[in-house]
Amino acid sequence: MKFAHIADVHLGYEQYNQPWRAEDFAKSFRAIAEKAVEMDVDFVIIAGDLFHRSVPSPKTIKEAIEILWIFRRENIPVFAIEGNHDKTSRDISAYHLLESIGMLNVLGLRRRPVEVENVKSVKIENVYLIKGFVEDVEITGDRHRSRWQLEKVLPLLKPESERSVLVLHQAVKEVVDIDLDIAYELTLNNLPKASYYAFGHIHLPKIYEFNGKFIAYPGSVDRYDLREASQIIRYKSDFTFKEGIKKGFVVVRNFKPEFVEMKTRDLYDVEIETNKLEELEKRFVEVLERISGEGMLVAKLRCPDSADVRKLNEIALKNLRYAEVRFERLADEFEEVVIQSENDFFTDFELKLLDLMKGEIDEREAYEFVIEHYLSGGEDKVEDESSEKQEVKDREAKTTEEDTGEGLEETKRNEMKAKKPKTLLDFFGGG
Ligand SMILES: [Mn+2]
């Protein structure tokens, strides 16, 4: 038993506002599909973010169909879940469109059962869990969910079979390895038992072993941002050249993953720093000579004198498909400011908010505090009893007058006084 595990395809992503980048993503997906067929996989899993947006353009949908056809014509079943980029708040997404023409099977909780080959619908209360089956392998999964939804959904996804794959588009704490509460939605302990965990969401490829099982992220099929550069070049006190991130997919044999590297367009992450402008330009040209052809460059230059970024950008474009040169002036020194206490720097509102955000965060309390602050006009009064009392009085006055027409007029005037935001822009400020 052998299958291909693909994720974060991001079809339709015009990175750097370049339409040809969307074509790159499609090209990378096509190459993976062809490779998977060549490797003779029994089925394919797409672990979310097949599309960059939940409303893909007709061109993007056409691309998806043409590439998925590579599997279809070989009778290789494809199982997919929606990611955070392409899920919708409605029942039907672009995935269901692809499903209705037989290009893939959408796994997860649905209102109605699905009756097709390789799929079973299991009734749970008033919904159905759509699972995939290929021979004796059970494939369960569900679309991207919030942390709160996951608590309810995860136990339902527990596979019934001995040999199983769990497909999710979420960040797992131990794999992201960032000790930041908002960086993940679940931990390994939360996962129901399965033979293999086919995940998506993290764009860097990762294979993580725990209790003899594997959880893998194939990473995005093409270079999604600068963290996924193919080469990292630093030219400061000396010149360093480092290989960056590999792109590809995962092939899984008997639940053991192996990363299959695929070629993509190069993305160069360059930083150059000198004290002389002349030297900066010389180094920039030197770097350009070392990088090849149709790649993309994002360069950060630092120097005390300002460089002609436009000229350098033009030079770079002679050799590359895309160049983005940023300049940062190296300041000699910073003026030191001594802050005696937090109160010098933050308003009372900000201090209270910072306090609420410390340690175990009660998100609801913090949220309500912010809303309350802005609805009350955003003045910097955290606990002003007198105004609170006045508000209660106003409210009481309103309720007694509400029965008469005059009362309504009065209510309106009161509302005007309360400076309530009318639009989102009022709420966020600016506009
Ligand atoms: Mn993604």
Side-chain angles (χ1 to χ4, degrees):
M1 192 274 310
K2 179 166 51 176
F3 64 90
H5 169 195
I6 306 166
D8 297 280
V9 182
H10 287 272
L11 288 177
Y13 180 31
E14 297 187 353
Q15 191 183 31
Y16 306 126
N17 288 319
Q18 307 293 318
W20 50 267
R21 275 304 280 159
E23 281 165 32
D24 281 355
F25 276 81
K27 216 172 125 188
S28 295
F29 182 37
R30 179 183 291 274
I32 287 173
E34 281 163 357
K35 182 77 181 169
V37 167
E38 188 194 306
M39 294 177 96
D40 200 22
V41 297
D42 299 309
F43 62 93
V44 172
I45 287 172
I46 299 174
D49 283 359
L50 172 60
F51 298 106
H52 185 59
R53 282 147 42 91
S54 61
V55 196
S57 69
K59 179 182 156 69
T60 304
I61 295 169
K62 181 172 176 281
E63 269 165 353
I65 293 170
E66 284 169 3
I67 298 166
L68 290 168
W69 180 251
I70 296 169
F71 299 124
R72 184 76 195 81
R73 92 182 157 214
E74 303 287 334
N75 281 318
I76 299 171
V78 177
F79 304 96
I81 55 159
E82 297 142 282
N84 55 316
H85 273 263
D86 49 18
K87 70 177 180 185
T88 69
S89 51
R90 312 282 171 107
D91 290 344
I92 303 295
S93 74
Y95 284 63
H96 300 94
L97 168 71
L98 295 174
E99 185 181 66
S100 68
I101 56 169
M103 290 296 150
L104 51 76
N105 303 291
V106 186
L107 303 177
L109 295 164
R110 302 264 279 268
R111 284 181 209 282
R112 284 191 184 78
V114 179
E115 315 264 341
V116 292
E117 216 186 322
N118 295 114
V119 161
K120 272 184 203 164
S121 304
V122 180
K123 194 159 196 241
I124 301 174
E125 290 169 28
N126 53 353
V127 294
Y128 293 87
L129 177 64
I130 315 303
K131 297 178 172 193
F133 282 89
V134 177
E135 291 167 24
D136 65 338
V137 179
E138 174 184 344
I139 307 138
T140 74
D142 196 27
R143 54 187 273 191
H144 176 265
R145 298 280 181 191
S146 71
R147 200 183 273 197
W148 325 107
Q149 289 173 328
L150 275 177
E151 273 176 37
K152 289 202 175 74
V153 168
L154 277 178
L156 306 179
L157 302 180
K158 194 174 178 305
E160 299 157 299
S161 317
E162 191 66 28
R163 290 156 63 78
S164 59
V165 179
L166 179 64
V167 192
L168 289 175
H169 189 89
Q170 312 283 164
V172 173
K173 184 183 181 183
E174 290 83 349
V175 184
V176 289
D177 198 25
I178 304 171
D179 201 15
L180 188 67
D181 193 52
I182 53 162
Y184 58 89
E185 295 109 13
L186 65 142
T187 69
L188 291 176
N189 295 332
N190 303 134
L191 290 172
K193 276 202 166 55
S195 315
Y196 176 78
Y197 300 88
F199 273 51
H201 195 40
I202 299 172
H203 286 179
L204 310 180
K206 280 178 196 272
I207 292 177
Y208 190 95
E209 191 178 352
F210 72 105
N211 302 335
K213 301 282 173 5
F214 290 94
I215 170 168
Y217 290 84
S220 51
V221 301
D222 208 301
R223 304 190 183 280
Y224 188 85
D225 62 36
L226 203 55
R227 284 173 295 181
E228 297 163 47
S230 52
Q231 276 83 23
I232 301 154
I233 299 168
R234 297 287 178 267
Y235 204 165
K236 292 172 186 178
S237 52
D238 45 27
F239 181 93
T240 62
F241 188 102
K242 213 174 88 189
E243 288 296 325
I245 297 298
K246 289 180 168 53
K247 291 280 121 189
F249 69 109
V250 171
V251 64
V252 186
R253 291 180 188 87
N254 295 318
F255 307 111
K256 269 197 78 177
E258 187 196 322
F259 186 71
V260 181
E261 189 183 352
M262 302 292 288
K263 183 92 191 87
T264 65
R265 188 188 296 278
D266 280 312
L267 172 60
Y268 301 100
D269 170 2
V270 174
E271 284 180 25
I272 305 172
E273 192 177 304
T274 65
N275 283 321
K276 284 209 181 76
L277 183 60
E278 226 174 276
E279 178 68 13
L280 186 77
E281 291 179 359
K282 214 182 95 193
R283 285 183 173 195
F284 184 66
V285 172
E286 217 177 292
V287 167
L288 287 180
E289 278 164 3
R290 287 174 182 251
I291 61 186
S292 63
E294 290 292 293
M296 304 172 288
L297 167 87
V298 175
K300 284 177 208 141
L301 311 182
R302 290 190 200 92
C303 179
D305 313 302
S306 53
D308 186 348
V309 171
R310 242 180 79 177
K311 188 183 87 187
L312 296 176
N313 221 85
E314 267 168 34
I315 295 171
L317 275 175
K318 280 186 190 145
N319 191 16
L320 294 157
R321 188 71 204 265
Y322 176 78
E324 189 181 309
V325 180
R326 303 174 197 160
F327 178 78
E328 195 183 298
R329 185 175 238 141
L330 268 181
D332 292 337
E333 53 191 54
F334 290 99
E335 195 190 335
E336 222 169 274
V337 180
V338 182
I339 295 168
Q340 303 290 354
S341 80
E342 286 177 330
N343 301 47
D344 295 347
F345 206 74
F346 297 108
T347 63
D348 287 348
F349 165 69
E350 288 163 339
L351 284 170
K352 174 89 192 282
L353 186 60
L354 284 171
D355 203 43
L356 284 174
M357 304 299 275
K358 272 181 205 156
E360 277 278 305
I361 302 169
D362 184 341
E363 284 186 34
R364 202 185 162 83
E365 195 190 342
Y367 181 74
E368 278 171 2
F369 175 66
V370 173
I371 298 287
E372 178 60 32
H373 173 77
Y374 285 107
L375 284 182
S376 69
E379 279 139 45
D380 197 41
K381 281 174 199 155
V382 176
E383 272 157 59
D384 189 333
E385 270 188 53
S386 61
S387 78
E388 222 166 82
K389 276 181 195 153
Q390 187 55 44
E391 231 175 78
V392 174
K393 270 187 214 155
D394 282 351
R395 237 179 280 144
E396 280 165 0
K398 254 190 230 172
T399 37
T400 51
E401 283 165 19
E402 241 157 42
D403 293 337
T404 67
E406 226 176 302
L408 274 176
E409 278 299 310
E410 184 65 27
T411 312
K412 267 183 206 159
R413 254 176 276 140
N414 273 343
E415 270 170 11
M416 304 249 300
K417 266 187 251 157
K419 280 196 272 175
K420 284 199 176 157
K422 289 181 195 70
T423 68
L424 266 184
L425 278 177
D426 294 339
F427 185 75
F428 291 130

